[in-house]
PDB file of all heavy atoms in Angstrom:
ATOM      1  N   GLN A1154       7.860   5.782  16.151  1.00 98.00           N
ATOM      2  CA  GLN A1154       7.228   7.088  16.322  1.00 98.00           C
ATOM      3  C   GLN A1154       5.756   6.846  16.659  1.00 98.00           C
ATOM      4  O   GLN A1154       5.259   5.729  16.556  1.00 98.00           O
ATOM      5  CB  GLN A1154       7.354   7.893  15.021  1.00 98.00           C
ATOM      6  CG  GLN A1154       8.786   7.995  14.515  1.00 98.00           C
ATOM      7  CD  GLN A1154       8.904   8.630  13.132  1.00 98.00           C
ATOM      8  OE1 GLN A1154       8.779   9.841  12.985  1.00 98.00           O
ATOM      9  NE2 GLN A1154       9.149   7.816  12.113  1.00 98.00           N
ATOM     10  N   ARG A1155       5.061   7.902  17.052  1.00 98.00           N
ATOM     11  CA  ARG A1155       3.645   7.779  17.390  1.00 98.00           C
ATOM     12  C   ARG A1155       2.810   8.756  16.558  1.00 98.00           C
ATOM     13  O   ARG A1155       3.290   9.830  16.194  1.00 98.00           O
ATOM     14  CB  ARG A1155       3.419   8.069  18.877  1.00 98.00           C
ATOM     15  CG  ARG A1155       3.997   7.027  19.822  1.00 98.00           C
ATOM     16  CD  ARG A1155       3.703   7.394  21.272  1.00 98.00           C
ATOM     17  NE  ARG A1155       3.998   6.305  22.199  1.00 98.00           N
ATOM     18  CZ  ARG A1155       5.133   6.161  22.855  1.00 98.00           C
ATOM     19  NH1 ARG A1155       6.118   7.039  22.684  1.00 98.00           N
ATOM     20  NH2 ARG A1155       5.308   5.151  23.691  1.00 98.00           N
ATOM     21  N   ALA A1156       1.569   8.370  16.295  1.00 98.00           N
ATOM     22  CA  ALA A1156       0.637   9.260  15.591  1.00 98.00           C
ATOM     23  C   ALA A1156      -0.732   9.155  16.239  1.00 98.00           C
ATOM     24  O   ALA A1156      -1.182   8.058  16.595  1.00 98.00           O
ATOM     25  CB  ALA A1156       0.538   8.882  14.120  1.00 98.00           C
ATOM     26  N   ALA A1157      -1.391  10.306  16.401  1.00 98.00           N
ATOM     27  CA  ALA A1157      -2.774  10.344  16.894  1.00 98.00           C
ATOM     28  C   ALA A1157      -3.700  10.552  15.708  1.00 98.00           C
ATOM     29  O   ALA A1157      -3.510  11.471  14.907  1.00 98.00           O
ATOM     30  CB  ALA A1157      -2.933  11.478  17.904  1.00 98.00           C
ATOM     31  N   LEU A1158      -4.699   9.683  15.602  1.00 96.00           N
ATOM     32  CA  LEU A1158      -5.612   9.730  14.455  1.00 96.00           C
ATOM     33  C   LEU A1158      -7.033   9.944  14.955  1.00 96.00           C
ATOM     34  O   LEU A1158      -7.545   9.158  15.737  1.00 96.00           O
ATOM     35  CB  LEU A1158      -5.511   8.441  13.643  1.00 96.00           C
ATOM     36  CG  LEU A1158      -4.095   8.095  13.170  1.00 96.00           C
ATOM     37  CD1 LEU A1158      -4.045   6.701  12.571  1.00 96.00           C
ATOM     38  CD2 LEU A1158      -3.599   9.123  12.162  1.00 96.00           C
ATOM     39  N   SER A1159      -7.653  11.006  14.492  1.00 90.00           N
ATOM     40  CA  SER A1159      -8.982  11.374  14.968  1.00 90.00           C
ATOM     41  C   SER A1159     -10.062  10.531  14.299  1.00 90.00           C
ATOM     42  O   SER A1159     -10.047  10.342  13.085  1.00 90.00           O
ATOM     43  CB  SER A1159      -9.212  12.856  14.654  1.00 90.00           C
ATOM     44  OG  SER A1159     -10.435  13.277  15.170  1.00 90.00           O
ATOM     45  N   ARG A1160     -10.978  10.018  15.076  1.00 88.00           N
ATOM     46  CA  ARG A1160     -12.131   9.246  14.598  1.00 88.00           C
ATOM     47  C   ARG A1160     -11.716   7.945  13.896  1.00 88.00           C
ATOM     48  O   ARG A1160     -11.755   6.878  14.478  1.00 88.00           O
ATOM     49  CB  ARG A1160     -13.053  10.080  13.700  1.00 88.00           C
ATOM     50  CG  ARG A1160     -13.727  11.232  14.439  1.00 88.00           C
ATOM     51  CD  ARG A1160     -14.622  12.042  13.519  1.00 88.00           C
ATOM     52  NE  ARG A1160     -15.776  11.268  13.056  1.00 88.00           N
ATOM     53  CZ  ARG A1160     -16.916  11.170  13.735  1.00 88.00           C
ATOM     54  NH1 ARG A1160     -17.068  11.789  14.894  1.00 88.00           N
ATOM     55  NH2 ARG A1160     -17.920  10.463  13.262  1.00 88.00           N
ATOM     56  N   ALA A1161     -11.285   8.019  12.618  1.00 95.00           N
ATOM     57  CA  ALA A1161     -10.922   6.817  11.869  1.00 95.00           C
ATOM     58  C   ALA A1161      -9.443   6.856  11.508  1.00 95.00           C
ATOM     59  O   ALA A1161      -8.860   7.931  11.382  1.00 95.00           O
ATOM     60  CB  ALA A1161     -11.763   6.722  10.595  1.00 95.00           C
ATOM     61  N   THR A1162      -8.859   5.687  11.302  1.00 97.00           N
ATOM     62  CA  THR A1162      -7.466   5.656  10.863  1.00 97.00           C
ATOM     63  C   THR A1162      -7.349   5.890   9.361  1.00 97.00           C
ATOM     64  O   THR A1162      -6.281   6.221   8.868  1.00 97.00           O
ATOM     65  CB  THR A1162      -6.789   4.301  11.184  1.00 97.00           C
ATOM     66  OG1 THR A1162      -7.333   3.281  10.328  1.00 97.00           O
ATOM     67  CG2 THR A1162      -6.969   3.914  12.650  1.00 97.00           C
ATOM     68  N   GLY A1163      -8.448   5.659   8.629  1.00 96.00           N
ATOM     69  CA  GLY A1163      -8.403   5.783   7.179  1.00 96.00           C
ATOM     70  C   GLY A1163      -7.674   4.636   6.511  1.00 96.00           C
ATOM     71  O   GLY A1163      -7.302   4.715   5.342  1.00 96.00           O
ATOM     72  N   THR A1164      -7.462   3.558   7.255  1.00 97.00           N
ATOM     73  CA  THR A1164      -6.776   2.374   6.725  1.00 97.00           C
ATOM     74  C   THR A1164      -7.635   1.131   6.970  1.00 97.00           C
ATOM     75  O   THR A1164      -8.689   1.198   7.627  1.00 97.00           O
ATOM     76  CB  THR A1164      -5.418   2.154   7.424  1.00 97.00           C
ATOM     77  OG1 THR A1164      -5.665   1.707   8.773  1.00 97.00           O
ATOM     78  CG2 THR A1164      -4.583   3.430   7.443  1.00 97.00           C
ATOM     79  N   ASP A1165      -7.142  -0.007   6.486  1.00 98.00           N
ATOM     80  CA  ASP A1165      -7.871  -1.260   6.670  1.00 98.00           C
ATOM     81  C   ASP A1165      -8.031  -1.653   8.137  1.00 98.00           C
ATOM     82  O   ASP A1165      -8.838  -2.528   8.459  1.00 98.00           O
ATOM     83  CB  ASP A1165      -7.176  -2.389   5.902  1.00 98.00           C
ATOM     84  CG  ASP A1165      -7.423  -2.314   4.395  1.00 98.00           C
ATOM     85  OD1 ASP A1165      -8.423  -1.692   3.991  1.00 98.00           O
ATOM     86  OD2 ASP A1165      -6.616  -2.871   3.625  1.00 98.00           O
ATOM     87  N   THR A1166      -7.291  -0.998   9.026  1.00 98.00           N
ATOM     88  CA  THR A1166      -7.467  -1.212  10.469  1.00 98.00           C
ATOM     89  C   THR A1166      -8.932  -1.045  10.864  1.00 98.00           C
ATOM     90  O   THR A1166      -9.477  -1.841  11.640  1.00 98.00           O
ATOM     91  CB  THR A1166      -6.621  -0.196  11.276  1.00 98.00           C
ATOM     92  OG1 THR A1166      -5.319  -0.150  10.732  1.00 98.00           O
ATOM     93  CG2 THR A1166      -6.572  -0.552  12.752  1.00 98.00           C
ATOM     94  N   ASP A1167      -9.580  -0.010  10.315  1.00 98.00           N
ATOM     95  CA  ASP A1167     -10.978   0.262  10.654  1.00 98.00           C
ATOM     96  C   ASP A1167     -11.885  -0.892  10.236  1.00 98.00           C
ATOM     97  O   ASP A1167     -12.805  -1.279  10.961  1.00 98.00           O
ATOM     98  CB  ASP A1167     -11.448   1.559   9.973  1.00 98.00           C
ATOM     99  CG  ASP A1167     -10.578   2.752  10.336  1.00 98.00           C
ATOM    100  OD1 ASP A1167     -10.036   2.786  11.458  1.00 98.00           O
ATOM    101  OD2 ASP A1167     -10.429   3.646   9.485  1.00 98.00           O
TER     102      ASP A1167
END
Side-chain angles (χ1 to χ4, degrees):
Q1154 307 172 76
R1155 292 181 169 95
L1158 305 171
S1159 184
R1160 295 180 67 86
T1162 71
T1164 71
D1165 285 338
T1166 313
D1167 303 329

